[in-house]
Amino acid sequence: MDKVVVGLSGGVDSSTAAAILHDQGYDVVGVTLWLMKGKGQCCSEGMVDAAKLCEQLGIPHHIVDSRELFQENIVDYLVAGYSTGITPLPCSQCNKAVKFTPMLTYAREQLGVDRIATGHYARILHDQPTGRYQLLRAIDRSKDQSYFLYDLSQDVLAHVLFPLGEQPKTETRRIAAAFELHTAEKPESQDLCLVEANGSMQAFLDKYITPQKGEIVDQSGKVLGQHEGVHHYTIGQRKGLGIAHSEPLYVIGLDAVRNRVIVGDRTATFAPECTVQRVNWVSIPEPTAPIHAEVQIRYRSVAVPAKILPLAAGRVRIVFDAPQPSITPGQAAVWYDGETLLGGGLIEPMDDRLPQKSAQ
């Protein structure tokens, strides 16, 4: 039988993925990554549920201590980002640096297995003419997770299975119930694992970043109020500013060097373009000329038409057909051709929004 290592978080999706593959005749081995102490779907509770599932299916279960890897690549990464005024996207970073690549390496080196699987909602297609493995959106667009997988390598895509990509979430629940999995009715995680473990992102960050009071200013540099720490804010934020104003104000810039939060009206949140770094071309080779695609700048945002212009050093410039609101440095911009994810990268800061000096 074909062997496959299935990443188990203890949730219904990964549990059902393992059960499906086991039912199809695969020789399944369960692997759970121990990412951090405390509560959270991926940690203590998740490990217990994953162990119960493996016992139920009669398959081996391995727990891999990935806490140091998680600390370095996610916790330190988040703290460094928020400290400099950007809003990092931990999930895509975690998928590449902590989960998929290390899990495939563990499967190969420790278990002699050359294939892994997860419960992510996405699809993979091998393009015969180019020889590339293409990443596609899931059939269930409401659960599609391809946005978080844009940074996976061709080696990973060639050796990973997504058993849930061709079905809606309702079918996953139905299959889990049919297999009588104890996770069939387990509620979905609503937050990042770090938020679950710490109560809120602010509580997590305050453990590592000392809050420092500073000014909230408009685009001219006029002081409108005070803040308790730049890391408590993100681009596009409207609530929690504590400013009385004639019209709603939004965060449009974060100046960590001067310890200032820059605000403006809704029109000021729009920008016609952005630059993106650390680009990974997934389903197509890196182009040498501009291409048109549909760009998604947040997980829940609608992909919108834009021109992608390749730059040097793994960067691109994205010019939107229409200006877009709340383009957030540190988040991922991911571009598609229909269902096919072409590439993605991390949005760079837009320094032109920062006032150069305070108004008198």
Side-chain angles (χ1 to χ4, degrees):
M1 292 186 293
D2 290 334
K3 283 192 172 185
V4 60
V5 167
V6 181
L8 298 174
S9 67
V12 64
D13 292 332
S14 60
S15 298
T16 306
I20 288 173
L21 293 172
H22 184 260
D23 186 63
Q24 290 175 350
Y26 281 90
D27 185 358
V28 177
V29 178
V31 168
T32 300
L33 305 179
W34 184 9
L35 303 181
M36 60 181 178
K37 295 180 179 179
K39 294 183 178 180
Q41 190 175 21
C42 299
C43 302
S44 56
E45 296 172 7
M47 284 191 285
V48 171
D49 285 334
K52 289 180 180 178
L53 172 80
C54 291
E55 182 177 2
Q56 180 180 353
L57 296 179
I59 63 175
H61 183 222
H62 297 253
I63 295 176
V64 180
D65 190 346
S66 303
R67 288 175 296 171
E68 190 172 314
L69 198 63
F70 186 79
Q71 176 72 35
E72 177 183 348
N73 287 278
I74 303 304
V75 175
D76 294 349
Y77 168 73
L78 281 174
V79 171
Y82 276 98
S83 296
T84 57
I86 69 170
T87 306
L89 181 70
C91 294
S92 59
Q93 172 81 359
C94 191
N95 281 332
K96 178 182 180 179
V98 179
K99 293 181 178 178
F100 284 83
T101 303
M103 188 164 69
L104 182 56
T105 299
Y106 179 85
R108 286 169 169 168
E109 296 181 355
Q110 303 299 322
L111 304 175
V113 181
D114 200 34
R115 188 171 295 279
I116 61 174
T118 72
H120 285 83
Y121 287 85
R123 294 176 291 156
I124 296 172
L125 176 68
H126 184 234
D127 185 47
Q128 294 287 352
T130 64
R132 293 184 76 89
Y133 288 85
Q134 299 181 332
L135 181 61
L136 278 66
R137 290 189 184 275
I139 292 295
D140 188 342
R141 287 290 293 269
S142 69
K143 293 297 180 182
D144 173 52
Q145 294 173 299
S146 61
Y147 174 85
F148 295 120
L149 303 174
Y150 80 87
D151 212 15
L152 298 184
S153 68
Q154 282 291 301
D155 181 44
V156 169
L157 293 176
H159 295 90
V160 68
L161 299 174
F162 294 131
L164 309 186
E166 299 282 350
Q167 66 190 39
K169 180 60 177 270
T170 53
E171 179 67 4
T172 298
R173 292 282 187 187
R174 188 198 67 78
I175 292 173
F179 282 125
E180 298 182 346
L181 304 183
H182 74 283
T183 56
E185 300 300 325
K186 185 174 181 179
E188 290 188 68
S189 174
Q190 299 299 314
D191 288 306
L192 297 171
C193 56
L194 287 170
V195 172
E196 284 190 338
N198 291 275
S200 69
M201 179 59 76
Q202 180 174 325
F204 160 71
L205 290 172
D206 282 346
K207 290 170 57 178
Y208 297 90
I209 304 173
T210 302
Q212 184 178 356
K213 291 184 178 181
E215 298 172 338
I216 300 177
V217 303
D218 63 16
Q219 287 174 283
S220 70
K222 179 181 178 181
V223 178
L224 302 179
Q226 301 290 318
H227 66 76
E228 297 293 330
V230 169
H231 61 282
H232 291 164
Y233 299 83
T234 188
I235 301 297
Q237 180 177 333
R238 176 183 171 184
K239 296 181 179 180
L241 300 182
I243 300 174
H245 202 261
S246 58
E247 57 185 335
L249 293 176
Y250 300 78
V251 175
I252 62 171
L254 298 171
D255 188 346
V257 175
R258 297 179 178 86
N259 192 31
R260 294 188 298 182
V261 175
I262 299 91
V263 297
D265 61 20
R266 177 162 170 73
T267 60
T269 68
F270 285 79
E273 63 179 72
C274 66
T275 54
V276 175
Q277 63 180 332
R278 290 175 53 181
V279 170
N280 183 44
W281 290 96
V282 184
S283 299
I284 61 173
E286 181 177 358
T288 57
I291 65 170
H292 285 86
E294 294 180 318
V295 180
Q296 192 170 328
I297 57 173
R298 286 177 297 279
Y299 173 48
R300 290 300 184 187
S301 69
V302 176
V304 296
K307 181 185 291 186
I308 316 293
L309 300 94
L311 303 174
R315 299 169 68 242
V316 301
R317 177 184 170 207
I318 299 177
V319 180
F320 298 97
D321 285 12
Q324 295 300 303
S326 305
I327 301 174
T328 307
Q331 294 289 290
V334 178
W335 42 96
Y336 295 83
D337 178 7
E339 299 292 294
T340 305
L341 192 156
L342 303 180
L346 299 178
I347 299 170
E348 295 182 336
M350 294 175 283
D351 294 334
D352 59 315
R353 297 200 169 194
L354 305 181
Q356 298 305 303
K357 60 181 179 179
S358 298
Q360 300 300 317

